[in-house]
Every structure is written in structure tokens, then in C-alpha cells.
Amino acid sequence: MLVCDLEDFSDWGGAAYGADYKLDPACDHARAWSAVHPDDDDLEAAFVRFGDHEEHVGLVWEMDGDGAAEVAHARSRRGAAGGDDNFLIMRSWIPAGRTDAPRRHAVRAESEERAVGQLTVRSGRVVVVATGVDADETGSYATPQEREASIRALGRLNPPVQLNLDGQLGLGTVLWVKPGTYRVTCGWHEGKRGRYMPEEEMYGPLQSYADEDWSCRWVRFTWTGEPDPSEAGSTGSV
């Protein structure tokens, strides 16, 4: 998943393939994959630069396989009461509505998360989208300027705004967040009962589950302050 400022997303190229149908290693999707899967390691999240002059920075998060992710405001346990300045993206391997145990676990595990770096969002609009999606695929644009204007217009709609392609729904979303710099941390949990709920439990009566039962992983964005006015565009650091 790519997380970046809405105004930067217009320059995201997604996946590109050559005449032999092989993924172009220079495309943004391939570079995002390389960022979280370097030769000597596998990372939960990493930063990637993109744009004609690599002027933009996005956060790439590894969902660990095909699936759906939840996006929500996430109050910090150490923050002010009622504060909704933070947001979180979570992947669990159980059907939505069967149990909120993964969410409860993420609330408690904030102090155990691994620091990734910082991401600055200036516009107050964030795109969360599959890295293979090309910004050009989100509409019929005659020119790059039209694409940029149309994507920017999404930020004026009531959030959350779903990003769709022809025949593929829900490949991304647009959120409103507080403009500023966010501390990025990753968390994960391997549950005692594993990742997948047994079929008889998926479709049977709702049950009460312990927070430790089911596996999940997430990336949290915690607001740390206003962006530096001397910096241009979105920034990221490790």
C-alpha cells in the first residue's frame, strides 16, 4: 500500500509492463516493492521517492499478501483526550464484523511498535492506495494537468472517498487528516489461533474472542507538529 499526500499522488505511475509483459523495474510499483523487500531484508514499511525529479515521498507498507485493509482515525493513548489527529491502517485475516479483537490489540500495543520514520502531509488530504495503481487509471484524463486538477478535486469531497478503477472497486481511499508531520510506526501480532478464522466460525453465531487470538499487522501515523515552512512538498525520513 502507498500512503502519500493527495497532491503528490497525481505523479504516481503504479505498475508498468514491457512488450514481454514483464514488470518494468524502473516503474513506481517495482521501486516500491524493492523498498520494502531489499536484497538483504524484508521490511514492514519504507519510504520511496517518485515524480519526474523524485520530488515526492510516499510511505510503502507491506500488507503481507492480497487482501483488504481497514483505515481509521487512531487516538493515541499518550495524546490528549478526544484527539483524532492520528490515523492507522490495519490488515487482519478475518471477516469484518466477526470480532474487533485486532483493533483492541493495536490500541494496547502502541508502545511496542517499530519506528519507521516521518512523513509530512501538507495538504491535509492523504491517499491510501495499492502501489500497482497508476494515477492515470483513476479517470479519463486528456492531459497531466487535467489529471492533477481532477485528483485534487477529490480532496474537496466529504471523506472518505473511494478510489476505483474500471472493474475494480475499493483499491484505495482519500482521507482528511490534520496537516503536518507524522511519526510512522509499524506493529504486528501473530495470534495464538493464527490468521484465518475457521469457516464454521466465519458464518456461525458471533462469539467473544480474546485479543491474542487472531493475527494482524498495522501501520500508525501519529501527528507530531506543523510542517516546516522552509520545506517544499511532502517529505519523508528514516
Side-chain angles (χ1 to χ4, degrees), residues 28-196:
D28 287 339
H29 175 63
R31 293 170 60 246
W33 177 266
S34 296
V36 291
H37 298 288
D39 293 338
D40 58 346
D41 203 359
D42 288 322
L43 307 176
E44 287 77 31
F47 293 100
V48 62
R49 289 192 171 274
F50 64 98
D52 291 341
H53 305 288
E54 296 192 345
E55 65 271 31
H56 308 309
V57 176
L59 187 282
V60 181
W61 176 59
E62 174 55 77
M63 282 181 55
D64 197 9
D66 294 341
E70 296 179 88
V71 186
H73 288 290
R75 293 180 181 144
S76 173
R77 302 183 77 189
R78 294 169 290 183
D84 280 328
D85 295 339
N86 314 317
F87 62 102
L88 178 146
I89 308 168
M90 168 174 279
R91 166 76 190 279
S92 59
W93 285 265
I94 53 180
R98 299 309 293 184
T99 174
D100 61 357
R103 302 176 189 177
R104 294 197 303 266
H105 184 89
V107 170
R108 291 201 317 271
E110 184 178 357
S111 62
E112 305 169 7
E113 295 167 359
R114 184 183 69 82
V116 177
Q118 293 184 324
L119 183 71
T120 298
V121 180
R122 297 187 170 279
S123 72
R125 307 292 188 264
V126 165
V127 168
V128 180
V129 67
T131 58
V133 173
D134 185 332
D136 260 336
E137 296 178 296
T138 60
S140 299
Y141 311 121
T143 65
Q145 292 75 22
E146 182 179 325
R147 178 190 64 216
E148 182 178 350
S150 296
I151 290 176
R152 184 176 292 133
L154 292 175
R156 296 192 289 270
L157 302 178
N158 291 329
V161 179
Q162 191 177 75
L163 293 177
N164 303 315
L165 306 183
D166 287 341
Q168 293 181 291
L169 304 179
L171 290 179
T173 190
V174 178
L175 309 173
W176 289 11
V177 300
K178 186 174 182 177
T181 300
Y182 288 80
R183 177 168 51 87
V184 183
T185 54
C186 282
W188 56 93
H189 168 63
E190 291 298 331
K192 295 177 181 178
R193 298 183 66 184
R195 297 187 173 194
Y196 296 97

